[in-house]
Amino acid sequence: MTGSLTTQAPHAVPTGHEHGWLVESAHRTSDGIVQYVRCAVCGARRVDVAAIPIPVPAAASRVVG
Ligand SMILES: [Zn+2]
């Protein structure tokens, strides 16, 4: 048994990568939906705010004229 272990720094992160954000949690607030996101590659965190989507208006009456 050779028992060779590959040692790699736990924080080995590719530099200059494009973050791949994963939503850890989301909460609806009066300003919109606050999302706490984390990069799956480097573990960086960010808080996003998304506007609450406004539904497409639906006609409440027939067309007049
Ligand atoms: Zn990242």
Side-chain angles (χ1 to χ4, degrees):
M1 183 172 165
T2 54
S4 105
L5 293 175
T6 303
T7 54
Q8 190 171 19
H11 299 293
V13 173
T15 56
H17 69 282
E18 186 171 342
H19 296 297
W21 300 112
L22 296 175
V23 178
E24 290 194 311
S25 63
H27 309 279
R28 190 176 182 129
T29 70
S30 59
D31 292 329
I33 299 170
V34 177
Q35 294 180 325
Y36 295 84
V37 297
R38 180 177 57 84
C39 176
V41 178
C42 69
R45 292 172 190 273
R46 195 175 75 179
V47 179
D48 290 351
V49 178
I52 296 173
I54 300 171
V56 177
S61 73
R62 294 186 314 157
V63 176
V64 178

